Amino acid sequence: MTTTTPRTATVAEVAFPPAFRWGAATAAYQIEGAADEDGRTPSIWDTFSKTPGKVRNGDTGDIAADHYHRMREDVALMARLGLTDYRFSVSWPRVQPTGRGPASQKGLDFYRALVDELLANGIRPVLTLYHWDLPQELEDAGGWPQRDTAQRFADYTALVAEALGDRVPTWTTLNEPWCAAFLGYAEGVHAPGRTEPKAALRAAHHLNLAHGLAVGVLREQAHPSAEVSLTLNLAAVRPLSDSPADTDAARRIDALANRIFLDPVFRGHYPEDLRADTAQLTDWSFVRDDDLPIICRPIDSLGVNYYTPTMVAAGSHPLPSPWPAAQDHARFLPVPGPRTAMDWPVDAEGLYELLTRLRDELPGTPLLVTENGAAYDDYADPEGVVHDPERITYLRAHLEAVHRAMAAGADVRGYFVWSLLDNFEWAYGYSKRFGMVHVDFASQRRTPKDSARWYADVVAHGRLPQD
């Protein structure tokens, strides 16, 4: 199936509303380091990264970008860039080391200090409660496939909300539950590294349930004006052709990538075609009668993470696969176009497709683009300057797509670049650089790249600059 190349907007057209939120995003395990300080215990990513062969070069997040010790320096960087918002995640094992019981006050003190530093610099804190760092003790008890983990998450949410609920204006329950469930429990390329398709479907449901339980806690304990959100890495799924077989393959992937979260959260049910597709694996009896009313508690906005589209055709996918019960019906094809260092195609039209789909399917739901960015092979030249023109081109194209979607009626309220800093890129270790700010991991020196200065100009003027 072919798509029409969108018209590129002129510079004068690409101006954003004065209240548009301009941010950058990070995640605790990817930047904080201090893996065993002040009572923090291992998360599943600590365990996974120390398992031989799981992470490139044997890299771990033990030190990462050392943000735990350089937080004020990093907030000062954000202020110089003019960011209005900063999206970060709380490390569950830093705040509640065993995943049960009382909070570690030293762990909470770090986040209290971070929030206070952000507010002192006029930057809105956007707090994510879960970005994949499940306490290892909870995984040892069964992890996300176990219902109890959802209740443990609700208890953890209460600890964070009690400490920070008076001054955090935006709360996100989960980041990309698809990755946590299907990369972690089906394909095994993310922590905890299990390859159990049935368990992955249970994990997806219990992540949904954890989200709903957390929404209830936040409504009770956060400030009454707080914005409660969820961030999904929704897939822009395209069939190769209009043939029945290819469109059915796209339907199956759409159910597992998108509707397994959108439908219960916003409509209070799981898709019937998803249940039918996966009937050979499960009867879905792990969904209890009172789960769905909890999962679909109203939220104030939806975060959208987008990097690249997905093209599928009829066929099969080699095992292990992150697509339970779909691997015999769908194969994935390369999307034409330039590639990033991740070998991901650059295709901003996919972001436009997602935002306008959500406009149609979830009318009245404000949207935030909570992650968007690209990895390139960045390096500091002899003068210490980091030129990254490809990233600027990527960001420009995707901001143009956001602007076009807004002009078409999508209620997009903000945009967050992934990422503020070069960091530990999960199974790729330190081999991939997504940051607007270059980090020399040996010295921990921060160097804003050309893209950081370009983005600062966008933020300052609320429009895309002329090339």
Side-chain angles (χ1 to χ4, degrees), residues 213-450:
L213 291 169
V215 171
V217 171
L218 292 169
R219 294 300 186 200
E220 292 180 0
Q221 294 191 222
H223 193 277
S225 65
E227 174 187 10
V228 178
S229 186
L230 167 70
T231 283
L232 302 176
N233 57 316
L234 299 171
V237 184
R238 301 169 181 167
L240 176 65
S241 74
D242 292 330
S243 73
D246 286 351
T247 56
D248 184 67
R251 177 198 62 75
R252 289 173 181 269
I253 298 304
D254 183 69
L256 283 165
N258 299 329
R259 291 182 285 120
I260 193 172
F261 302 108
L262 290 173
D263 280 16
V265 170
F266 289 97
R267 300 180 178 90
H269 62 80
Y270 283 99
E272 289 301 321
D273 62 322
L274 171 67
R275 288 177 177 261
D277 291 344
T278 57
Q280 75 225 49
L281 292 175
T282 179
D283 60 4
W284 290 77
S285 59
F286 50 80
V287 181
R288 297 182 182 173
D289 291 342
D290 57 351
D291 287 353
L292 288 163
I294 294 171
I295 293 170
C296 73
R297 287 168 171 163
I299 58 177
D300 302 306
S301 63
L302 176 65
V304 178
N305 291 357
Y306 173 82
Y307 294 94
T308 194
T310 300
M311 183 175 289
V312 298
S316 62
H317 185 86
L319 295 176
S321 165
W323 307 103
Q327 67 270 7
D328 294 331
H329 303 273
R331 59 190 174 95
F332 294 81
L333 302 170
V335 175
R339 324 293 281 193
T340 71
M342 299 288 288
D343 198 32
W344 294 348
V346 178
D347 188 327
E349 182 69 6
L351 180 55
Y352 176 83
E353 292 169 11
L354 281 179
L355 295 174
T356 51
R357 171 182 175 172
L358 294 170
R359 171 205 64 193
D360 296 340
E361 295 188 3
L362 305 176
T365 301
L367 306 173
L368 295 167
V369 178
T370 39
E371 287 183 28
N372 179 237
Y376 290 101
D377 295 323
D378 306 320
Y379 62 92
D381 70 14
E383 287 73 42
V385 178
V386 183
H387 300 296
D388 58 342
E390 300 95 343
R391 183 172 290 104
I392 293 172
T393 299
Y394 182 101
L395 295 176
R396 173 185 286 278
H398 287 78
L399 280 167
E400 288 178 348
V402 171
H403 187 268
R404 287 195 305 115
M406 294 170 68
D411 186 10
V412 185
R413 305 284 181 91
Y415 177 90
F416 293 72
V417 175
W418 184 270
S419 177
L420 177 70
L421 303 170
D422 289 337
N423 54 43
F424 175 85
E425 185 48 42
W426 307 116
Y428 292 92
Y430 297 101
S431 67
K432 305 298 180 185
R433 293 181 176 270
F434 275 89
M436 292 188 295
V437 176
H438 181 274
V439 177
D440 181 314
F441 293 106
S443 67
Q444 292 296 339
R445 180 179 179 181
R446 275 82 160 128
T447 303
K449 304 174 188 179
D450 287 352

Side-chain angles (χ1 to χ4, degrees), residues 27-35 37 60-74 94 110 421-424 430 439-446:
Y29 189 72
Q30 293 184 269
I31 67 166
E32 284 182 3
E37 292 187 34
T60 75
D62 285 357
I63 299 173
D66 198 32
H67 174 72
Y68 192 76
H69 300 113
R70 300 169 186 268
M71 176 269 288
R72 287 179 173 81
E73 174 188 353
D74 291 338
R94 193 180 297 287
F110 171 73
L421 303 170
D422 289 337
N423 54 43
F424 175 85
Y430 297 101
V439 177
D440 181 314
F441 293 106
S443 67
Q444 292 296 339
R445 180 179 179 181
R446 275 82 160 128

Side-chain angles (χ1 to χ4, degrees), residues 16 18 54 82 112 126 146 152 250 255 261 276 301 329 336 376 382 409 419 431 453 465:
F16 292 82
K54 295 298 186 182
R112 290 186 181 107
V126 179
Q146 295 299 313
R152 301 285 71 76
F261 302 108
S301 63
H329 303 273
Y376 290 101
S419 177
S431 67
R453 287 182 282 274

Side-chain angles (χ1 to χ4, degrees), residues 97-169:
T98 67
R100 294 181 174 85
S104 163
Q105 291 306 313
K106 287 185 177 179
L108 284 173
D109 284 346
F110 171 73
Y111 297 106
R112 290 186 181 107
L114 170 59
V115 168
D116 289 347
E117 192 74 10
L118 290 168
L119 293 173
N121 282 275
I123 301 169
R124 181 187 291 109
V126 179
L127 186 154
T128 299
L129 286 160
Y130 187 72
H131 199 130
W132 309 348
D133 49 1
L134 184 71
Q136 182 61 43
E137 287 197 26
L138 293 184
E139 174 58 28
D140 292 343
W144 284 112
Q146 295 299 313
R147 169 174 289 269
D148 184 64
T149 305
Q151 186 56 58
R152 301 285 71 76
F153 182 72
D155 295 344
Y156 153 70
T157 299
L159 297 176
V160 181
E162 181 181 8
L164 299 172
D166 61 334
R167 55 199 187 280
V168 170

